[in-house]
Short mmCIF file of all heavy atoms in Angstrom, two decimals:
data_model
loop_
_atom_site.label_atom_id
_atom_site.label_comp_id
_atom_site.label_asym_id
_atom_site.label_seq_id
_atom_site.Cartn_x
_atom_site.Cartn_y
_atom_site.Cartn_z
N ALA A 102 15.59 54.45 4.35
CA ALA A 102 14.13 54.44 4.41
C ALA A 102 13.56 55.69 3.75
O ALA A 102 12.59 55.62 2.99
CB ALA A 102 13.65 54.32 5.85
N LEU A 103 14.19 56.82 4.01
CA LEU A 103 13.72 58.09 3.44
C LEU A 103 13.95 58.13 1.93
O LEU A 103 13.12 58.67 1.19
CB LEU A 103 14.41 59.26 4.13
CG LEU A 103 13.74 60.62 4.02
CD1 LEU A 103 12.33 60.57 4.57
CD2 LEU A 103 14.56 61.66 4.76
N SER A 104 15.04 57.51 1.46
CA SER A 104 15.28 57.48 0.01
C SER A 104 14.27 56.59 -0.71
O SER A 104 13.93 56.83 -1.86
CB SER A 104 16.71 57.03 -0.29
OG SER A 104 16.87 55.65 -0.09
N ILE A 105 13.78 55.56 -0.02
CA ILE A 105 12.78 54.67 -0.59
C ILE A 105 11.44 55.39 -0.73
O ILE A 105 10.76 55.29 -1.74
CB ILE A 105 12.61 53.39 0.28
CG1 ILE A 105 13.88 52.56 0.25
CG2 ILE A 105 11.40 52.58 -0.18
CD1 ILE A 105 13.91 51.47 1.30
N GLN A 106 11.09 56.13 0.32
CA GLN A 106 9.80 56.82 0.35
C GLN A 106 10.00 58.18 1.03
O GLN A 106 9.88 58.29 2.25
CB GLN A 106 8.77 55.96 1.09
CG GLN A 106 7.35 56.40 0.91
CD GLN A 106 6.38 55.41 1.55
OE1 GLN A 106 6.72 54.28 1.86
NE2 GLN A 106 5.16 55.86 1.74
N PRO A 107 10.30 59.22 0.25
CA PRO A 107 10.66 60.53 0.82
C PRO A 107 9.60 61.19 1.69
O PRO A 107 9.93 62.05 2.51
CB PRO A 107 10.93 61.39 -0.43
CG PRO A 107 11.27 60.42 -1.50
CD PRO A 107 10.46 59.19 -1.19
N GLU A 108 8.35 60.80 1.56
CA GLU A 108 7.30 61.39 2.38
C GLU A 108 6.76 60.42 3.43
O GLU A 108 5.65 60.58 3.93
CB GLU A 108 6.17 61.93 1.48
CG GLU A 108 6.65 63.06 0.59
CD GLU A 108 5.55 63.65 -0.28
OE1 GLU A 108 4.43 63.11 -0.31
OE2 GLU A 108 5.83 64.67 -0.94
N HIS A 109 7.56 59.42 3.79
CA HIS A 109 7.17 58.41 4.77
C HIS A 109 7.24 59.06 6.16
O HIS A 109 8.31 59.31 6.69
CB HIS A 109 8.11 57.21 4.66
CG HIS A 109 7.68 56.03 5.46
ND1 HIS A 109 8.40 55.58 6.53
CD2 HIS A 109 6.62 55.19 5.33
CE1 HIS A 109 7.81 54.50 7.04
NE2 HIS A 109 6.73 54.26 6.31
N MET A 110 6.07 59.34 6.72
CA MET A 110 6.00 60.11 7.96
C MET A 110 6.79 59.48 9.12
O MET A 110 7.53 60.19 9.80
CB MET A 110 4.53 60.31 8.35
CG MET A 110 4.34 61.42 9.34
SD MET A 110 4.79 63.04 8.65
CE MET A 110 3.51 63.25 7.44
N PRO A 111 6.66 58.17 9.36
CA PRO A 111 7.44 57.60 10.47
C PRO A 111 8.95 57.82 10.30
O PRO A 111 9.66 58.07 11.27
CB PRO A 111 7.08 56.11 10.45
CG PRO A 111 5.74 56.05 9.81
CD PRO A 111 5.76 57.16 8.78
N THR A 112 9.43 57.74 9.07
CA THR A 112 10.86 57.95 8.83
C THR A 112 11.24 59.40 9.08
O THR A 112 12.26 59.67 9.74
CB THR A 112 11.24 57.56 7.39
OG1 THR A 112 10.84 56.21 7.16
CG2 THR A 112 12.74 57.68 7.18
N LEU A 113 10.45 60.33 8.56
CA LEU A 113 10.74 61.75 8.79
C LEU A 113 10.83 62.06 10.28
O LEU A 113 11.76 62.72 10.74
CB LEU A 113 9.67 62.62 8.13
CG LEU A 113 9.68 62.69 6.61
CD1 LEU A 113 8.38 63.32 6.09
CD2 LEU A 113 10.89 63.46 6.12
N GLU A 114 9.86 61.54 11.03
CA GLU A 114 9.81 61.82 12.47
C GLU A 114 10.97 61.14 13.21
O GLU A 114 11.61 61.76 14.08
CB GLU A 114 8.47 61.38 13.04
CG GLU A 114 7.31 62.22 12.52
CD GLU A 114 5.93 61.66 12.83
OE1 GLU A 114 5.83 60.51 13.31
OE2 GLU A 114 4.94 62.38 12.57
N LYS A 115 11.27 59.91 12.86
CA LYS A 115 12.35 59.20 13.56
C LYS A 115 13.73 59.77 13.22
O LYS A 115 14.58 59.91 14.10
CB LYS A 115 12.29 57.70 13.26
CG LYS A 115 11.18 57.01 14.05
CD LYS A 115 11.09 55.55 13.72
CE LYS A 115 10.04 54.84 14.53
NZ LYS A 115 8.74 55.50 14.62
N LEU A 116 13.95 60.11 11.95
CA LEU A 116 15.23 60.69 11.57
C LEU A 116 15.39 62.07 12.20
O LEU A 116 16.48 62.42 12.67
CB LEU A 116 15.38 60.75 10.05
CG LEU A 116 16.74 61.20 9.52
CD1 LEU A 116 17.89 60.36 10.10
CD2 LEU A 116 16.76 61.14 7.99
N ALA A 117 14.31 62.85 12.26
CA ALA A 117 14.37 64.16 12.93
C ALA A 117 14.70 63.99 14.41
O ALA A 117 15.54 64.72 14.96
CB ALA A 117 13.04 64.90 12.77
N THR A 118 14.08 63.02 15.05
CA THR A 118 14.36 62.75 16.47
C THR A 118 15.81 62.32 16.66
O THR A 118 16.49 62.78 17.58
CB THR A 118 13.40 61.66 17.01
OG1 THR A 118 12.06 62.12 16.86
CG2 THR A 118 13.68 61.35 18.47
N PHE A 119 16.28 61.46 15.78
CA PHE A 119 17.67 61.01 15.84
C PHE A 119 18.63 62.20 15.72
O PHE A 119 19.56 62.35 16.50
CB PHE A 119 17.95 59.97 14.75
CG PHE A 119 19.39 59.53 14.68
CD1 PHE A 119 19.90 58.64 15.61
CD2 PHE A 119 20.23 60.03 13.69
CE1 PHE A 119 21.23 58.25 15.56
CE2 PHE A 119 21.55 59.63 13.62
CZ PHE A 119 22.06 58.75 14.56
N TYR A 120 18.38 63.05 14.72
CA TYR A 120 19.24 64.22 14.53
C TYR A 120 19.18 65.14 15.75
O TYR A 120 20.21 65.67 16.19
CB TYR A 120 18.86 64.99 13.27
CG TYR A 120 19.37 64.37 11.99
CD1 TYR A 120 18.65 64.48 10.82
CD2 TYR A 120 20.58 63.67 11.95
CE1 TYR A 120 19.11 63.92 9.64
CE2 TYR A 120 21.04 63.11 10.78
CZ TYR A 120 20.31 63.24 9.63
OH TYR A 120 20.77 62.68 8.46
N TYR A 121 18.01 65.31 16.31
CA TYR A 121 17.87 66.14 17.51
C TYR A 121 18.71 65.57 18.65
O TYR A 121 19.45 66.30 19.32
CB TYR A 121 16.39 66.24 17.91
CG TYR A 121 16.18 66.99 19.20
CD1 TYR A 121 16.27 68.38 19.23
CD2 TYR A 121 15.88 66.32 20.38
CE1 TYR A 121 16.09 69.08 20.42
CE2 TYR A 121 15.69 67.00 21.56
CZ TYR A 121 15.80 68.39 21.58
OH TYR A 121 15.62 69.08 22.75
N GLN A 122 18.64 64.27 18.85
CA GLN A 122 19.42 63.61 19.91
C GLN A 122 20.92 63.74 19.67
O GLN A 122 21.70 63.75 20.62
CB GLN A 122 19.04 62.12 20.01
CG GLN A 122 17.64 61.88 20.53
CD GLN A 122 17.22 60.43 20.41
OE1 GLN A 122 17.75 59.66 19.61
NE2 GLN A 122 16.22 60.05 21.20
N GLN A 123 21.31 63.84 18.42
CA GLN A 123 22.73 63.96 18.07
C GLN A 123 23.18 65.43 18.04
O GLN A 123 24.34 65.71 17.72
CB GLN A 123 23.01 63.30 16.71
CG GLN A 123 22.66 61.83 16.65
CD GLN A 123 23.28 61.03 17.78
OE1 GLN A 123 24.48 61.07 17.98
NE2 GLN A 123 22.45 60.33 18.53
N GLY A 124 22.28 66.34 18.35
CA GLY A 124 22.61 67.76 18.36
C GLY A 124 22.65 68.39 16.97
O GLY A 124 23.13 69.51 16.80
N LYS A 125 22.11 67.70 15.98
CA LYS A 125 22.05 68.22 14.61
C LYS A 125 20.70 68.92 14.42
O LYS A 125 19.79 68.40 13.77
CB LYS A 125 22.23 67.09 13.60
CG LYS A 125 23.59 66.39 13.71
CD LYS A 125 23.70 65.27 12.69
CE LYS A 125 25.05 64.59 12.76
NZ LYS A 125 25.18 63.52 11.77
N LEU A 126 20.59 70.11 15.00
CA LEU A 126 19.30 70.79 15.06
C LEU A 126 18.83 71.29 13.70
O LEU A 126 17.62 71.28 13.41
CB LEU A 126 19.37 71.94 16.07
CG LEU A 126 19.73 71.52 17.50
CD1 LEU A 126 19.70 72.71 18.44
CD2 LEU A 126 18.82 70.41 18.00
N VAL A 127 19.75 71.75 12.86
CA VAL A 127 19.35 72.23 11.53
C VAL A 127 18.73 71.09 10.73
O VAL A 127 17.64 71.26 10.13
CB VAL A 127 20.57 72.84 10.79
CG1 VAL A 127 20.21 73.16 9.34
CG2 VAL A 127 21.06 74.08 11.51
N GLU A 128 19.39 69.93 10.72
CA GLU A 128 18.87 68.78 9.99
C GLU A 128 17.53 68.33 10.56
O GLU A 128 16.60 68.01 9.81
CB GLU A 128 19.87 67.61 10.02
CG GLU A 128 21.16 67.88 9.26
CD GLU A 128 22.26 68.50 10.13
OE1 GLU A 128 21.95 69.13 11.17
OE2 GLU A 128 23.43 68.36 9.75
N ALA A 129 17.43 68.30 11.90
CA ALA A 129 16.18 67.90 12.55
C ALA A 129 15.05 68.85 12.17
O ALA A 129 13.95 68.41 11.82
CB ALA A 129 16.37 67.86 14.06
N CYS A 130 15.35 70.13 12.20
CA CYS A 130 14.32 71.14 11.89
C CYS A 130 13.86 71.02 10.44
O CYS A 130 12.66 71.12 10.16
CB CYS A 130 14.88 72.53 12.19
SG CYS A 130 13.61 73.80 12.14
N GLU A 131 14.77 70.79 9.52
CA GLU A 131 14.40 70.64 8.10
C GLU A 131 13.42 69.48 7.91
O GLU A 131 12.42 69.61 7.20
CB GLU A 131 15.64 70.43 7.24
CG GLU A 131 16.49 71.67 7.06
CD GLU A 131 17.82 71.39 6.36
OE1 GLU A 131 18.08 70.22 5.99
OE2 GLU A 131 18.57 72.35 6.17
N LEU A 132 13.72 68.35 8.54
CA LEU A 132 12.85 67.18 8.42
C LEU A 132 11.49 67.42 9.08
O LEU A 132 10.45 67.03 8.55
CB LEU A 132 13.52 65.95 9.02
CG LEU A 132 14.73 65.43 8.24
CD1 LEU A 132 15.47 64.39 9.06
CD2 LEU A 132 14.31 64.87 6.90
N LEU A 133 11.52 68.08 10.24
CA LEU A 133 10.26 68.37 10.93
C LEU A 133 9.39 69.31 10.11
O LEU A 133 8.18 69.12 10.02
CB LEU A 133 10.54 68.95 12.31
CG LEU A 133 11.12 67.97 13.33
CD1 LEU A 133 11.57 68.69 14.59
CD2 LEU A 133 10.11 66.87 13.65
N GLN A 134 10.00 70.31 9.50
CA GLN A 134 9.23 71.25 8.67
C GLN A 134 8.61 70.52 7.47
O GLN A 134 7.48 70.81 7.08
CB GLN A 134 10.10 72.42 8.25
CG GLN A 134 10.40 73.35 9.41
CD GLN A 134 11.44 74.42 9.09
OE1 GLN A 134 12.15 74.34 8.10
NE2 GLN A 134 11.51 75.42 9.96
#
Side-chain angles (χ1 to χ4, degrees):
L103 200 57
S104 74
I105 294 167
Q106 194 174 344
E108 296 182 353
H109 189 247
M110 198 65 68
T112 304
L113 288 167
E114 293 168 351
K115 283 178 178 47
L116 186 54
T118 301
F119 175 77
Y120 282 148
Y121 176 76
Q122 291 171 338
Q123 301 308 305
K125 298 179 178 181
L126 301 183
V127 172
E128 293 91 336
C130 191
E131 287 172 0
L132 291 169
L133 290 171
Q134 288 171 345

